[in-house]
């Protein structure tokens, strides 16, 4: 309840939970190899090696699929920043350290596999892709959870939502690619993101049991400030509009498939171990979720109108 602990004490108390969940993760994680998910026979040299450079008609992906897959890949490319953040939030040794390094190695595989797929299939401009990667990684990410606090509680709350959000986004991106090879790769990556989410969700659940008020306060702050990674990426505004408009990751999915299921899993609205401060935070969170639900309806109405306008324009142009 009113118990206060420093981040270092929390990390010490939660280390056995981290160790148990690390072992659980290692027993469930599948080893897979990026090269098994890339259609190498479609590859050919670019001009520097005597072949042909990329041109737009070589891409088999729609504009929406390209926007989604590039945004997902650039997010994976920003791994050095995320590694820095979680290695600062967690402890430098024991199970925390083993987890951070293992997680980093798995995330790196996602970027490798996606880039190989995109370049071999000529789905996107490889020059623009490399320039975008340089811009993203050079800029880095320093306040992904939006709270300015990157200690263990907000850190672990943020990554729980974030891993689940990337699972949803990778899964739906696979669907819009309309290529069974891309779909298989993105499903494989989404399954990894799900296991990452479970690790963080279990840690954050244990933090709620340990310091209920402080953990809830961190969770509520993260929900209030949540944004998808990618602000600052080249073309981020345009791409994020396409991603939301075409149901790859939108406000409805954010609320119904990410925020609410996790809060239910943590039993936030039925627990009785909060003190007065925690009760207050919970009331404010409930009010925030209500207003988010209203935003969802507004967003869907606007989207329906925009899609209807697009359809009318397409009909006019073809008639
Ligand atoms: Fe990933
Ligand atoms: Fe992940």
């Amino acid at each position: 309840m009113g118990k206060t602990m420093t981040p270092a004490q929390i990390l010490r108390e939660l280390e056995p939970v981290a160790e148990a969940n690390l072992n659980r993760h290692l027993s469930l994680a599948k080893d897979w190899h990026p090269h098994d998910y890339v259609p190498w026979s479609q590859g050919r040299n670019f001009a520097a090696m005597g072949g042909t450079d990329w041109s737009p008609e070589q891409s088999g992906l729609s504009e929406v699929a390209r926007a989604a897959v590039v945004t997902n890949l650039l997010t994976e490319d920003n791994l050095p920043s995320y590694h820095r953040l979680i290695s600062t939030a967690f402890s430098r040794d024991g199970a925390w350290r083993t987890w951070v390094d293992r997680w980093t190695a798995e995330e790196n595989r996602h970027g490798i596999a996606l880039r190989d797929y995109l370049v071999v299939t000529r789905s996107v401009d490889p020059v623009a892709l490399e320039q975008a990667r340089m811009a993203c990684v050079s800029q880095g990410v320093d306040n992904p959870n939006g709270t300015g606090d990157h200690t263990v509680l907000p850190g672990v709350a943020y990554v729980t939502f974030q891993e689940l959000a990337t699972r949803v986004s990778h899964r739906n991106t696979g669907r819009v690619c309309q290529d069974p090879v891309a779909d298989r790769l993105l499903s494989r990556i989404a399954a990894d993101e799900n296991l990452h989410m479970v690790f963080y969700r279990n840690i954050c659940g244990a933090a709620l049991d340990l310091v209920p008020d402080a953990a809830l306060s961190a969770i509520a702050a993260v929900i209030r400030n949540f944004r998808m990674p990618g602000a600052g990426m080249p073309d981020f505004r345009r791409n994020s509009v396409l991603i939301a408009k075409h149901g790859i990751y939108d406000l409805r999915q954010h609320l119904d498939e990410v925020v609410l299921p996790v809060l239910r899993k943590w039993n936030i609205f039925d627990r009785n171990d909060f003190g007065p401060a925690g009760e207050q935070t919970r009331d404010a969170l409930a009010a925030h979720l209500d207003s988010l639900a209203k935003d969802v309806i507004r967003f869907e109405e606007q989207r329906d109108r925009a899609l209807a306008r697009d359809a009318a324009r397409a009909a006019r142009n073809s008639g």
Side-chain angles (χ1 to χ4, degrees), residues 76 103 106-107 110 159 162-164 166-167 170 189 192-197 200:
E76 301 284 357
W103 172 86
E106 291 187 15
E107 292 293 358
H110 300 166
V159 288
Q162 177 51 29
E163 293 282 0
L164 186 49
T166 53
R167 180 188 100 183
H170 281 310
I189 295 176
D192 284 4
E193 310 297 19
N194 192 56
L195 275 186
H196 297 160
M197 180 276 289
Y200 294 126

Side-chain angles (χ1 to χ4, degrees), residues 74-86 135-146 150 158 162 227-233:
L74 292 175
T75 305
E76 301 284 357
D77 282 339
N78 253 332
L79 180 60
S81 280
Y82 293 107
H83 173 88
R84 180 173 56 223
L85 284 156
I86 69 163
C136 280
V137 181
S138 308
Q139 180 184 316
V141 177
D142 40 51
N143 186 20
N145 73 27
H150 302 289
Y158 175 73
Q162 177 51 29
R227 37 197 181 168
M228 284 296 275
M233 282 177 189

Side-chain angles (χ1 to χ4, degrees), residues 154-233:
V156 83
Y158 175 73
V159 288
T160 302
F161 295 118
Q162 177 51 29
E163 293 282 0
L164 186 49
T166 53
R167 180 188 100 183
V168 170
S169 162
H170 281 310
R171 195 67 207 78
N172 291 332
T173 299
R175 187 174 47 75
V176 293
C177 283
Q178 301 199 313
D179 169 12
V181 177
D183 194 39
R184 191 167 150 263
L185 168 59
L186 284 155
S187 299
R188 183 56 260 167
I189 295 176
D192 284 4
E193 310 297 19
N194 192 56
L195 275 186
H196 297 160
M197 180 276 289
V198 171
F199 177 91
Y200 294 126
R201 193 184 63 195
N202 289 347
I203 301 289
C204 198
L208 270 165
D209 295 338
L210 182 69
V211 280
D213 286 13
L216 182 65
S217 159
I219 291 164
V222 162
I223 292 175
R224 267 197 316 276
N225 289 287
F226 189 89
R227 37 197 181 168
M228 284 296 275
M233 282 177 189

